[in-house]
Amino acid sequence: AQKITQTQPGMFVQEKEAVTLDCTYDTSDQSYGLFWYKQPSSGEMIFLIYQGSYDEQNATEGRYSLNFQKARKSANLVISASQLGDSAMYFCAATPNGGSQGNLIFGKGTKLSVKP
Amino acid sequence: DAGVTQSPTHLIKTRGQQVTLRCSPISGHKSVSWYQQVLGQGPQFIFQYYEKEERGRGNFPDRFSARQFPNYSSELNVNALLLGDSALYLCASSLAWSRNTDTQYFGPGTRLTVL
């Protein structure tokens, strides 16, 4: 079954520095999607970035980029120039084996704290 | 444009009671999914509905049920509440059902506390 592993329960980063949040996945599908979401203390899950398994280039959205290494089954999130407002939980998610996109499998999350 | 909305924001119930949570998707979105997020964990998939039909179900007991209305809004019902049902319930909407590229957009959630 699809499984998402986020090995960093918590991370600290200095404001204006870059940070990488790790994510590995375990899928038997050829076609799948990978997502990153941000969850502030308010609880709402905010979509950050998407990577399709057939996309040849790494996805980028503003200060967010996804370091996609298909052979290693990793999809790390890179946040450049961290801001205080980036402090939140970050979840990696993927479409399940053989399932629809509506059924996302989430990792346990990484709590990012940005220090001034 | 309005995002996904959920009501109520917070809810306190006692064991054995029943609860109904509501969700309105983004305009134009036809798929609604429900997730349960227990404190300290990532969200877990409960149901997906598309065009008023159930398209997927997670590993949850039959006490959990849902439906989707003609206007694509949705309700999640939980019967015979247990203490372990205390969680943040998230609703997400997307344009369609089966495409990997359709991003799910989440609502603010309903925080359910069972005493």
Side-chain angles (χ1 to χ4, degrees), chain A residues 43-69:
Chain A
E44 184 171 355
M45 299 284 284
I46 302 168
F47 166 72
L48 296 178
I49 197 165
Y50 163 82
Q51 178 84 43
S53 57
Y54 290 119
D55 293 342
E56 294 186 353
Q57 293 194 335
N58 287 340
T60 60
E61 290 285 350
R63 295 186 298 111
Y64 304 106
S65 61
L66 200 152
N67 185 359
F68 181 45
Q69 298 187 47

mmCIF file of all heavy atoms in Angstrom, chain A residues 43-69:
data_model
loop_
_atom_site.group_PDB
_atom_site.id
_atom_site.type_symbol
_atom_site.label_atom_id
_atom_site.label_comp_id
_atom_site.label_asym_id
_atom_site.label_seq_id
_atom_site.Cartn_x
_atom_site.Cartn_y
_atom_site.Cartn_z
ATOM 1 N N GLY A 43 -5.467 25.436 11.425
ATOM 2 C CA GLY A 43 -5.997 24.140 11.031
ATOM 3 C C GLY A 43 -6.239 23.933 9.558
ATOM 4 O O GLY A 43 -6.295 22.801 9.092
ATOM 5 N N GLU A 44 -6.386 24.997 8.791
ATOM 6 C CA GLU A 44 -6.691 24.830 7.374
ATOM 7 C C GLU A 44 -5.487 24.297 6.611
ATOM 8 O O GLU A 44 -4.376 24.747 6.807
ATOM 9 C CB GLU A 44 -7.123 26.163 6.780
ATOM 10 C CG GLU A 44 -7.555 26.075 5.323
ATOM 11 C CD GLU A 44 -8.179 27.363 4.837
ATOM 12 O OE1 GLU A 44 -8.362 28.294 5.646
ATOM 13 O OE2 GLU A 44 -8.507 27.443 3.645
ATOM 14 N N MET A 45 -5.703 23.351 5.734
ATOM 15 C CA MET A 45 -4.641 22.789 4.899
ATOM 16 C C MET A 45 -4.525 23.635 3.642
ATOM 17 O O MET A 45 -5.471 23.757 2.872
ATOM 18 C CB MET A 45 -4.973 21.344 4.501
ATOM 19 C CG MET A 45 -5.126 20.394 5.655
ATOM 20 S SD MET A 45 -3.557 19.935 6.359
ATOM 21 C CE MET A 45 -2.985 18.772 5.142
ATOM 22 N N ILE A 46 -3.354 24.215 3.437
ATOM 23 C CA ILE A 46 -3.125 25.112 2.305
ATOM 24 C C ILE A 46 -2.264 24.404 1.280
ATOM 25 O O ILE A 46 -1.146 23.975 1.583
ATOM 26 C CB ILE A 46 -2.442 26.411 2.775
ATOM 27 C CG1 ILE A 46 -3.311 27.104 3.824
ATOM 28 C CG2 ILE A 46 -2.170 27.339 1.593
ATOM 29 C CD1 ILE A 46 -2.602 28.232 4.549
ATOM 30 N N PHE A 47 -2.775 24.285 0.057
ATOM 31 C CA PHE A 47 -2.026 23.632 -1.021
ATOM 32 C C PHE A 47 -0.815 24.481 -1.398
ATOM 33 O O PHE A 47 -0.908 25.695 -1.569
ATOM 34 C CB PHE A 47 -2.932 23.445 -2.233
ATOM 35 C CG PHE A 47 -2.185 23.102 -3.496
ATOM 36 C CD1 PHE A 47 -1.609 21.851 -3.650
ATOM 37 C CD2 PHE A 47 -2.024 24.038 -4.500
ATOM 38 C CE1 PHE A 47 -0.910 21.538 -4.801
ATOM 39 C CE2 PHE A 47 -1.326 23.729 -5.653
ATOM 40 C CZ PHE A 47 -0.766 22.478 -5.805
ATOM 41 N N LEU A 48 0.339 23.824 -1.508
ATOM 42 C CA LEU A 48 1.561 24.523 -1.874
ATOM 43 C C LEU A 48 2.043 24.187 -3.274
ATOM 44 O O LEU A 48 2.334 25.077 -4.075
ATOM 45 C CB LEU A 48 2.676 24.187 -0.874
ATOM 46 C CG LEU A 48 2.488 24.619 0.574
ATOM 47 C CD1 LEU A 48 3.665 24.160 1.413
ATOM 48 C CD2 LEU A 48 2.317 26.131 0.675
ATOM 49 N N ILE A 49 2.165 22.888 -3.554
ATOM 50 C CA ILE A 49 2.836 22.510 -4.791
ATOM 51 C C ILE A 49 2.462 21.094 -5.175
ATOM 52 O O ILE A 49 2.160 20.259 -4.314
ATOM 53 C CB ILE A 49 4.365 22.657 -4.622
ATOM 54 C CG1 ILE A 49 5.083 22.678 -5.970
ATOM 55 C CG2 ILE A 49 4.930 21.593 -3.697
ATOM 56 C CD1 ILE A 49 6.530 23.182 -5.861
ATOM 57 N N TYR A 50 2.458 20.833 -6.482
ATOM 58 C CA TYR A 50 2.111 19.518 -7.032
ATOM 59 C C TYR A 50 3.204 19.051 -8.000
ATOM 60 O O TYR A 50 3.761 19.853 -8.752
ATOM 61 C CB TYR A 50 0.782 19.605 -7.782
ATOM 62 C CG TYR A 50 0.534 18.451 -8.723
ATOM 63 C CD1 TYR A 50 0.027 17.255 -8.253
ATOM 64 C CD2 TYR A 50 0.849 18.545 -10.086
ATOM 65 C CE1 TYR A 50 -0.175 16.184 -9.105
ATOM 66 C CE2 TYR A 50 0.643 17.478 -10.937
ATOM 67 C CZ TYR A 50 0.130 16.301 -10.450
ATOM 68 O OH TYR A 50 -0.064 15.240 -11.301
ATOM 69 N N GLN A 51 3.464 17.732 -7.956
ATOM 70 C CA GLN A 51 4.399 17.114 -8.902
ATOM 71 C C GLN A 51 3.771 15.852 -9.454
ATOM 72 O O GLN A 51 3.346 14.979 -8.686
ATOM 73 C CB GLN A 51 5.720 16.754 -8.201
ATOM 74 C CG GLN A 51 6.742 16.073 -9.084
ATOM 75 C CD GLN A 51 7.584 17.047 -9.889
ATOM 76 O OE1 GLN A 51 8.031 18.073 -9.390
ATOM 77 N NE2 GLN A 51 7.838 16.727 -11.147
ATOM 78 N N GLY A 52 3.663 15.734 -10.752
ATOM 79 C CA GLY A 52 3.172 14.523 -11.371
ATOM 80 C C GLY A 52 4.326 13.573 -11.653
ATOM 81 O O GLY A 52 5.447 14.012 -11.927
ATOM 82 N N SER A 53 4.039 12.298 -11.613
ATOM 83 C CA SER A 53 5.105 11.303 -11.762
ATOM 84 C C SER A 53 5.757 11.345 -13.138
ATOM 85 O O SER A 53 6.899 10.909 -13.303
ATOM 86 C CB SER A 53 4.566 9.897 -11.493
ATOM 87 O OG SER A 53 3.478 9.606 -12.365
ATOM 88 N N TYR A 54 5.046 11.864 -14.141
ATOM 89 C CA TYR A 54 5.610 11.927 -15.494
ATOM 90 C C TYR A 54 6.223 13.284 -15.804
ATOM 91 O O TYR A 54 6.741 13.490 -16.908
ATOM 92 C CB TYR A 54 4.538 11.593 -16.525
ATOM 93 C CG TYR A 54 4.139 10.127 -16.501
ATOM 94 C CD1 TYR A 54 2.840 9.736 -16.217
ATOM 95 C CD2 TYR A 54 5.073 9.137 -16.768
ATOM 96 C CE1 TYR A 54 2.482 8.402 -16.197
ATOM 97 C CE2 TYR A 54 4.726 7.796 -16.744
ATOM 98 C CZ TYR A 54 3.427 7.437 -16.464
ATOM 99 O OH TYR A 54 3.074 6.107 -16.452
ATOM 100 N N ASP A 55 6.149 14.211 -14.840
ATOM 101 C CA ASP A 55 6.727 15.535 -15.078
ATOM 102 C C ASP A 55 8.248 15.412 -15.079
ATOM 103 O O ASP A 55 8.834 14.889 -14.127
ATOM 104 C CB ASP A 55 6.290 16.519 -13.989
ATOM 105 C CG ASP A 55 4.798 16.797 -14.052
ATOM 106 O OD1 ASP A 55 4.188 16.526 -15.107
ATOM 107 O OD2 ASP A 55 4.251 17.282 -13.037
ATOM 108 N N GLU A 56 8.867 15.921 -16.122
ATOM 109 C CA GLU A 56 10.315 15.777 -16.226
ATOM 110 C C GLU A 56 11.050 16.832 -15.423
ATOM 111 O O GLU A 56 12.195 16.623 -15.008
ATOM 112 C CB GLU A 56 10.744 15.842 -17.692
ATOM 113 C CG GLU A 56 10.237 14.653 -18.509
ATOM 114 C CD GLU A 56 10.778 14.653 -19.918
ATOM 115 O OE1 GLU A 56 11.432 15.635 -20.291
ATOM 116 O OE2 GLU A 56 10.527 13.672 -20.647
ATOM 117 N N GLN A 57 10.394 17.964 -15.225
ATOM 118 C CA GLN A 57 11.043 19.036 -14.470
ATOM 119 C C GLN A 57 10.469 19.119 -13.064
ATOM 120 O O GLN A 57 9.291 18.821 -12.827
ATOM 121 C CB GLN A 57 10.847 20.368 -15.188
ATOM 122 C CG GLN A 57 11.581 20.443 -16.516
ATOM 123 C CD GLN A 57 11.656 21.856 -17.036
ATOM 124 O OE1 GLN A 57 10.824 22.691 -16.704
ATOM 125 N NE2 GLN A 57 12.662 22.137 -17.851
ATOM 126 N N ASN A 58 11.304 19.551 -12.136
ATOM 127 C CA ASN A 58 10.838 19.762 -10.775
ATOM 128 C C ASN A 58 9.845 20.918 -10.735
ATOM 129 O O ASN A 58 10.051 21.948 -11.372
ATOM 130 C CB ASN A 58 12.019 20.077 -9.843
ATOM 131 C CG ASN A 58 12.868 18.850 -9.575
ATOM 132 O OD1 ASN A 58 12.420 17.723 -9.752
ATOM 133 N ND2 ASN A 58 14.094 19.072 -9.163
ATOM 134 N N ALA A 59 8.777 20.727 -9.963
ATOM 135 C CA ALA A 59 7.764 21.766 -9.847
ATOM 136 C C ALA A 59 8.277 22.933 -9.011
ATOM 137 O O ALA A 59 9.055 22.742 -8.060
ATOM 138 C CB ALA A 59 6.505 21.189 -9.197
ATOM 139 N N THR A 60 7.854 24.132 -9.379
ATOM 140 C CA THR A 60 8.179 25.327 -8.590
ATOM 141 C C THR A 60 6.933 26.199 -8.496
ATOM 142 O O THR A 60 6.158 26.294 -9.446
ATOM 143 C CB THR A 60 9.321 26.146 -9.212
ATOM 144 O OG1 THR A 60 8.911 26.559 -10.521
ATOM 145 C CG2 THR A 60 10.598 25.330 -9.311
ATOM 146 N N GLU A 61 6.764 26.803 -7.310
ATOM 147 C CA GLU A 61 5.667 27.755 -7.085
ATOM 148 C C GLU A 61 6.199 28.841 -6.171
ATOM 149 O O GLU A 61 6.238 28.686 -4.951
ATOM 150 C CB GLU A 61 4.467 27.058 -6.408
ATOM 151 C CG GLU A 61 3.701 26.086 -7.246
ATOM 152 C CD GLU A 61 2.796 26.753 -8.266
ATOM 153 O OE1 GLU A 61 2.615 27.996 -8.204
ATOM 154 O OE2 GLU A 61 2.250 26.033 -9.125
ATOM 155 N N GLY A 62 6.649 29.920 -6.760
ATOM 156 C CA GLY A 62 7.184 31.008 -5.960
ATOM 157 C C GLY A 62 8.403 30.571 -5.166
ATOM 158 O O GLY A 62 9.394 30.106 -5.733
ATOM 159 N N ARG A 63 8.331 30.677 -3.823
ATOM 160 C CA ARG A 63 9.466 30.300 -2.990
ATOM 161 C C ARG A 63 9.531 28.797 -2.733
ATOM 162 O O ARG A 63 10.454 28.314 -2.062
ATOM 163 C CB ARG A 63 9.398 31.041 -1.648
ATOM 164 C CG ARG A 63 9.552 32.546 -1.750
ATOM 165 C CD ARG A 63 9.618 33.208 -0.376
ATOM 166 N NE ARG A 63 8.400 33.002 0.400
ATOM 167 C CZ ARG A 63 8.322 32.240 1.485
ATOM 168 N NH1 ARG A 63 9.396 31.616 1.942
ATOM 169 N NH2 ARG A 63 7.183 32.137 2.142
ATOM 170 N N TYR A 64 8.547 28.059 -3.241
ATOM 171 C CA TYR A 64 8.501 26.613 -3.012
ATOM 172 C C TYR A 64 8.977 25.868 -4.265
ATOM 173 O O TYR A 64 8.576 26.211 -5.376
ATOM 174 C CB TYR A 64 7.078 26.157 -2.684
ATOM 175 C CG TYR A 64 6.446 26.870 -1.516
ATOM 176 C CD1 TYR A 64 5.455 27.830 -1.716
ATOM 177 C CD2 TYR A 64 6.855 26.598 -0.212
ATOM 178 C CE1 TYR A 64 4.881 28.491 -0.649
ATOM 179 C CE2 TYR A 64 6.286 27.256 0.858
ATOM 180 C CZ TYR A 64 5.294 28.206 0.641
ATOM 181 O OH TYR A 64 4.730 28.860 1.699
ATOM 182 N N SER A 65 9.793 24.870 -4.053
ATOM 183 C CA SER A 65 10.165 23.983 -5.142
ATOM 184 C C SER A 65 10.180 22.559 -4.617
ATOM 185 O O SER A 65 10.340 22.323 -3.419
ATOM 186 C CB SER A 65 11.528 24.364 -5.729
ATOM 187 O OG SER A 65 12.529 24.268 -4.747
ATOM 188 N N LEU A 66 9.945 21.637 -5.521
ATOM 189 C CA LEU A 66 9.889 20.232 -5.133
ATOM 190 C C LEU A 66 11.051 19.515 -5.783
ATOM 191 O O LEU A 66 11.159 19.509 -7.013
ATOM 192 C CB LEU A 66 8.543 19.628 -5.571
ATOM 193 C CG LEU A 66 8.101 18.351 -4.874
ATOM 194 C CD1 LEU A 66 6.579 18.246 -4.851
ATOM 195 C CD2 LEU A 66 8.706 17.136 -5.561
ATOM 196 N N ASN A 67 11.910 18.942 -4.984
ATOM 197 C CA ASN A 67 13.063 18.188 -5.465
ATOM 198 C C ASN A 67 12.617 16.743 -5.656
ATOM 199 O O ASN A 67 12.602 15.953 -4.716
ATOM 200 C CB ASN A 67 14.209 18.285 -4.462
ATOM 201 C CG ASN A 67 15.464 17.612 -4.976
ATOM 202 O OD1 ASN A 67 15.481 17.044 -6.080
ATOM 203 N ND2 ASN A 67 16.525 17.668 -4.201
ATOM 204 N N PHE A 68 12.250 16.409 -6.900
ATOM 205 C CA PHE A 68 11.654 15.115 -7.227
ATOM 206 C C PHE A 68 12.733 14.176 -7.738
ATOM 207 O O PHE A 68 13.344 14.413 -8.781
ATOM 208 C CB PHE A 68 10.564 15.305 -8.293
ATOM 209 C CG PHE A 68 9.847 14.053 -8.706
ATOM 210 C CD1 PHE A 68 9.414 13.139 -7.766
ATOM 211 C CD2 PHE A 68 9.588 13.807 -10.056
ATOM 212 C CE1 PHE A 68 8.737 11.991 -8.156
ATOM 213 C CE2 PHE A 68 8.911 12.665 -10.454
ATOM 214 C CZ PHE A 68 8.485 11.756 -9.502
ATOM 215 N N GLN A 69 12.975 13.094 -6.986
ATOM 216 C CA GLN A 69 13.926 12.078 -7.408
ATOM 217 C C GLN A 69 13.170 10.757 -7.511
ATOM 218 O O GLN A 69 12.995 10.050 -6.505
ATOM 219 C CB GLN A 69 15.095 11.987 -6.426
ATOM 220 C CG GLN A 69 15.879 13.292 -6.349
ATOM 221 C CD GLN A 69 17.132 13.161 -5.511
ATOM 222 O OE1 GLN A 69 17.904 12.205 -5.662
ATOM 223 N NE2 GLN A 69 17.346 14.102 -4.609
#
